[in-house]
Structures are given as structure tokens and as C-alpha cells.
Amino acid sequence: MSETEFRQPTLSRRHILLGTAAVGLMALPRWAAATPAEAEAVVAKLAGSAKPAASRIALQLPQIAENGNSVQFSVSVDSPMTETDYVKSIHIIADQNPYPEVATFYLSPANGKAEVTMRMRLAKTQNVRAIALMSDGSVHQAQQEVKVTIGGCGG
Amino acid sequence: MADVKARVKVPATATKGEIIEIKTAIAHAMESGQRKDKEGKAIPRKIINKFVCTLNGKELFRSDWYTAVSANPYLSFFVRATESGTYDFAWYDDDGSVYHASASIAVS
Amino acid sequence: MKYVIAGAMVAAGLLAHGAVRAADAQTGGDGLGKYIVGDKRSGYVFAEPDTRAMQDDDFQNPGMVWVEAGKQLWSTPDGAAGKSCQTCHGDAATSMKGVATHYPKFNPRVGKVIDLEQRIDMCRAKALQAKPYPWESHELLAMTTFIKNQSRGMPMNVAVDGPAAPFFEKGKESFYRRRGQLDLSCASCHETLEGRHLRADVLSQGQTNGFPTYRLGWQTLGSLQKRIKGCDKQMRADPHAFGSDEYVNLELYLAWRGNGLPVETPAVRK
């Protein structure tokens, strides 16, 4: 495994202070953070004509992440998970990561319960959302802001 | 990566219809493609991009992963215990490798 | 320029938040009692609850992967003698229980204090007739983590008297020596300013009872010497080489500072 530490692909305060931020960053394939608009576009594509409802889905996240390299999330959807009423997929979106998509989970009645737990990287303080697509075509969304702290030694 | 190692936690027994939790973890750097090495060159992306769980060959759960999944990925989810058999867990690497782990369950 | 600003930011952070202390680190609340011995506080006490939970659950703790890898290596023959660790030492759960609490330790064969990593490679050279594991290799980290994990929960208990005394003194000197362009010593942050804020961080005591440790910042598990090298770099000082006497003696001093704290290996920290 690499010894190089994960660098947050955004402008840190130090870079801004130095005024030299752009120089070292241009060469990277994708340095700039996604914008909330890009994240909205991802959501719009998922939801299609349905309007996401802020119900039936719960997203559990820390208010403050000690390290953006590992932020644990749990998402659960209130669904009987029967042949006629189940969650088809859950999508995790981080609005201002280099790429907004984090992970997608495909479920079926075989799961019995629509709940998953995982850990993700957050490049900076931002809004995180979970979108559930249901078997009846409805779309549900939950979101929360997570503050990502910057360590005293720049870590 | 020679040291890839997966761990899974599945109950050894369950009653038919019971909903059980499955926990999985795998050692993998999940290199995002957004980091630089000491010479300032971008380190190429190399992540696990897909995870699939099957029981006796039938798919129960699948997940697509992107670069924001943390290194040494941990994932837990639920399945309904329907029959005895062997769960297979497969992690698909960008480089074409597939890492497997398995666990058996007795359902009564 | 960069160093001046970094230094100014360090100083400003310390001054602005100097009076603020982490409540948990002071009170020992939240079931933290076993991680506080007298005035010694494990880094566990300074960690966020989510990070502690990750360490506490043996399945969620990512460092356990190295423990399992070490367990495999323990019984796998390697080297010209055709032996494994198990050939001489049997079941590690018995033979290695408590061993790591005494390391770093004076070794009469080489006439100096050596750490656990060096002891492992000494065994490999002498008994197994195998090549040493390189520093920070997956194998050395796995074996060190596996062996120290056999002492989990036991109090650290290194000897600093007798033949170890001069090496302990050197380690102590290193702990208090100012170095680097920021003119800091280990003690500046981890003794004088312990418990105070450095930007969003609370400075810990720099205790070593959880090493090798899985650090979220590293996204992997690493040795204490890797951590010390990181500190040196952040102090704008030239790091020493892995396995240098300078670092091993410092490891001894750091271990002594934490004598009595329970082994947590593999700890999880930010």
C-alpha cells in the first residue's frame, strides 16, 4: 500500500494563503470538486420524472467527521421488501466530492430489510444524500451536511 | 495486490425467513486516481468497482463502488435466510482481478 | 515562505484555542476509565466516538486484517532452516502473551535496546535463516501487529533501569530536544500543550500503546517509527532512518511514558 497520504482534492486554506494553489493542481485528471449543480444532475437522472420525497428513508452520518478518509454512513429505507413493494436501489451522493457518486446498492425482496452500512471519503465539508428508487417508481431522498475537520498538522 | 484479504461474518445458523446481517471487509488501497506520488505524478486509479453476493449461485445483493469508497472497504447489509448453502462474495478490481470469500449457513 | 506561514498558523491555533480542552480527555467519562492510568491518557481518549467504535469492534477494526495475516505467517515455514515461528514458540496465544509489553528491550546479543520489529527480524536471521522483513513491509507490520495483539489489554511495562538505562536517557534527550525549522520538540506538543487545540485537533499525549496503528489519515496500518517520521516532517525536521538508534531509543522513552496503559494494538486513530 502507498505511503502517500490522501490529499483532499480541493483548495486548502494553506494553498489559498500561499496563492500558489493552481500551479501544482492542473496536471491532475480531476482536481476540482463537483458542484451542487452536478450532483443535482445526477439526482435528476436517477429520479427521472419522479419528484424525490423526503420520507421513508433515513441517512445516519456523523455531524463532524474526524477524518474525511473514512466517514461511516448507514442508510435504511422503510419498506416491507415484498414482491410487490420493495426498494430497487439506494444511491449515495456526495455533492462536492471530485465525483459525486459514492456507491449504489441494488436490492430485492431477497434482502428482507433495506439497510446498508459502509465508509466513504469526503473531500471537504459538504452535503451528502441518499436516494432510494422504489419498485412502484417513487423516489425518496434524505440528506445531511457533514463537517470534515482539518487536522492541526495538515492531516 | 498480493496481500488482498477478505473477511466475512455470516451467522452459522438461521431459521427460515429470518433476516440476517452480513458483514464484509477487504484489504484494498482503493487508489482513487486523485493522489500524487512523491515526484508529483498522479497515481493511477485502482479500485474495487463492484461487489456481488450470491447464495448457491443466485444473486442476492450487488453494489457499484466509485472512488469515494474508503480504503479497506467495509460493507454490511441484510438478507432473508431461505435455504442452507454457501454464500459467495466477490469483489471486482479495476485490473480485472476478482477476489472471493465464502461462508456457509444452515437454515432450519 | 511556506514554513513561516505554517509556523504562524501553528502558533495562532495554539493561542486562539489554548484554553479549550476536550471534556472527555479530562473526565474519563464514556467508559474511558481503562484508557486513563494516573495522568496518562491513551490516544483512545482523544479520539471521536465513531473512531473508538471502529477500534472496539473486531470485525470493523481494519487493523485486524494485519492480525490475521500475521497469524498465517506465524505458522508458515520460511527460510533455509525450514522452520516457522511456531516451530520454536508454539501457540502464540500462550508464548507471546505479554511479550510485547516489554518492548523495546535491552538485548545482550547486540548490546543495545531493540524494538519488537528488530526482535522479529533477529529471530528470522538466527532461527529461521530467512531474510529480514523490510521495514514497513506488509509482512513485518503483520507479524508485529499479530504479536503485540497477543498482549491486548495488558499494561505496558518496559524496563528502563540496568543495561537499558543509557538508552532510555538518550531517548529522553531526544524527546525534549528542539529540532527542525519550527524549533519544536516532541514535548512541545505532547507534554506542554497536551489537551489543547491545534486547529480542529486536540493534541494527545503521543502515547504509543496502540501501535502498530490503523490511521485513517494513512488509510492503512503503520508502525510507530512511521508515525515519528511523520511528526519529524511536520516539525520541518529531517526524519531519521527506520531502525535507527535515535528512533529505537525514543520508542523506549515513549513506551516508558505510557507504562501502565493497556496495549490496544491494533488501535484506530484519525
Side-chain angles (χ1 to χ4, degrees):
Chain A
M1 288 179 196
S2 167
E3 271 193 40
T4 314
E5 293 186 17
F6 178 64
R7 291 293 171 202
Q8 301 183 344
T10 53
L11 297 184
S12 76
R13 197 146 36 127
R14 189 178 306 162
H15 285 127
I16 293 166
L17 273 172
L18 287 169
T20 58
V23 180
L25 313 185
M26 301 302 274
L28 285 163
R30 176 76 186 244
W31 192 273
T35 62
E38 279 181 73
E40 285 294 350
V42 173
V43 174
K45 200 174 162 193
L46 286 172
S49 56
K51 188 179 177 324
S55 60
R56 293 182 69 182
I57 180 164
L59 175 60
Q60 203 185 322
L61 282 166
Q63 299 278 327
I64 298 173
E66 192 164 42
N67 191 303
N69 283 334
S70 180
V71 182
Q72 185 154 317
F73 64 86
S74 286
V75 55
S76 61
V77 185
D78 181 14
S79 164
M81 296 302 275
T82 58
E83 291 297 333
T84 52
D85 185 2
Y86 63 95
V87 180
K88 287 168 73 177
S89 60
I90 299 172
H91 306 254
I92 308 298
I93 314 281
D95 284 10
Q96 292 180 66
N97 264 5
Y99 296 94
E101 292 99 333
V102 175
T104 305
F105 308 98
Y106 299 94
L107 297 107
S108 71
N111 295 106
K113 185 173 172 181
E115 183 177 327
V116 295
T117 299
M118 203 181 194
R119 299 182 195 131
M120 66 180 159
R121 294 166 170 153
L122 291 180
K124 60 189 238 183
T125 296
Q126 60 183 290
N127 186 53
V128 175
R129 32 185 145 188
I131 318 274
L133 307 189
M134 316 294 273
S135 58
D136 67 0
S138 66
V139 180
H140 300 263
Q141 173 175 290
Q143 54 189 322
Q144 189 198 307
E145 187 187 65
V146 180
K147 288 189 163 46
V148 177
T149 62
I150 299 169
C153 289
Chain B
M1 199 160 74
D3 56 351
V4 165
K5 185 149 184 175
R7 305 168 73 212
V8 296
K9 193 172 179 183
V10 177
T13 59
T15 53
K16 196 170 167 66
E18 188 182 344
I19 295 167
I20 58 168
E21 185 174 23
I22 290 180
K23 295 179 175 181
T24 69
I26 187 163
H28 194 287
M30 295 294 284
E31 194 58 63
S32 68
Q34 295 148 20
R35 305 198 308 167
K36 291 182 283 186
D37 63 16
K38 281 172 184 145
E39 282 77 48
K41 286 188 298 211
I43 303 170
R45 172 184 141 148
K46 186 182 183 299
I47 68 167
I48 292 168
N49 57 55
K50 188 167 68 166
F51 168 83
V52 179
C53 166
T54 57
L55 173 65
N56 301 333
K58 277 177 298 191
E59 183 176 312
L60 298 182
F61 179 84
R62 183 161 51 93
S63 181
D64 290 337
W65 296 358
Y66 300 91
T67 52
V69 170
S70 297
N72 303 307
Y74 170 83
L75 171 65
S76 70
F77 56 97
F78 291 85
V79 295
R80 205 190 295 270
T82 50
E83 61 187 63
S84 298
T86 305
Y87 291 104
D88 177 78
F89 305 92
W91 291 261
Y92 292 78
D93 193 301
D94 275 348
D95 72 3
S97 315
V98 185
Y99 316 115
H100 285 277
S102 61
S104 55
I105 188 166
V107 175
S108 55
Chain C
M1 168 79 171
K2 185 173 179 179
Y3 298 129
V4 172
I5 287 168
M9 284 169 69
V10 168
L14 294 175
L15 290 172
H17 303 289
V20 186
R21 282 174 168 254
D24 283 348
Q26 291 306 303
T27 61
D30 288 350
L32 297 174
K34 67 175 174 173
Y35 299 99
I36 300 175
V37 177
D39 56 0
K40 297 168 184 179
R41 292 183 180 82
S42 161
Y44 185 93
V45 176
F46 297 85
E48 290 289 327
D50 287 349
T51 310
R52 290 181 205 147
M54 202 188 292
Q55 172 176 326
D56 292 344
D57 180 327
D58 271 358
F59 195 86
Q60 291 207 28
N61 184 335
M64 293 306 287
V65 169
W66 280 262
V67 174
E68 290 196 1
K71 188 178 183 178
Q72 247 178 23
L73 289 172
W74 178 264
S75 58
T76 308
D78 193 10
K83 293 181 189 172
S84 71
C85 305
Q86 193 170 266
T87 313
C88 298
H89 296 289
D91 183 3
T94 315
S95 64
M96 290 296 120
K97 193 176 170 62
V99 168
T101 65
H102 304 301
Y103 275 84
K105 187 178 178 180
F106 181 80
N107 186 290
R109 205 182 300 157
V110 289
K112 59 184 187 180
V113 164
I114 59 172
D115 63 15
L116 191 54
E117 285 88 342
Q118 290 170 321
R119 187 67 190 84
I120 290 165
D121 272 343
M122 188 182 278
C123 253
R124 286 180 58 78
K126 193 174 180 309
L128 270 55
Q129 295 170 39
K131 277 194 285 197
Y133 290 140
W135 278 91
E136 224 55 24
S137 63
H138 179 70
E139 289 79 8
L140 187 57
L141 287 170
M143 188 59 78
T144 310
T145 306
F146 171 66
I147 290 174
K148 200 164 172 191
N149 182 254
Q150 305 309 310
S151 303
R152 188 158 61 161
M154 298 175 72
M156 283 300 296
N157 184 24
V158 292
V160 297
D161 54 358
F167 302 94
F168 172 75
E169 288 304 325
K170 283 179 191 164
K172 184 178 179 182
E173 188 275 329
S174 173
F175 184 80
Y176 287 101
R177 190 191 332 122
R178 287 178 179 275
R179 66 191 74 155
Q181 289 173 300
L182 298 184
D183 196 30
L184 295 167
S185 70
C186 308
S188 306
C189 287
H190 297 293
E191 188 172 275
T192 313
L193 295 171
E194 173 245 322
R196 302 203 183 185
H197 276 78
L198 186 60
R199 297 171 79 185
D201 279 352
V202 179
L203 287 164
S204 79
Q205 291 185 344
Q207 295 290 358
T208 61
N209 51 310
F211 277 91
T213 289
Y214 188 94
R215 287 190 78 232
L216 304 178
W218 288 338
Q219 305 187 79
T220 189
L221 178 131
S223 70
L224 174 55
Q225 293 206 9
K226 176 176 175 176
R227 184 69 195 90
I228 297 172
K229 273 174 175 269
C231 274
D232 270 340
K233 284 179 205 159
Q234 284 155 348
M235 290 150 70
R236 318 291 180 230
D238 283 332
H240 292 266
F242 278 121
S244 61
D245 290 347
E246 167 87 14
Y247 278 169
V248 175
N249 294 337
L250 180 55
E251 277 190 271
L252 175 65
Y253 182 76
L254 295 173
W256 170 82
R257 276 178 89 232
N259 263 353
L261 288 175
V263 172
E264 291 174 38
T265 308
V268 179
R269 301 284 186 265
K270 67 187 163 197

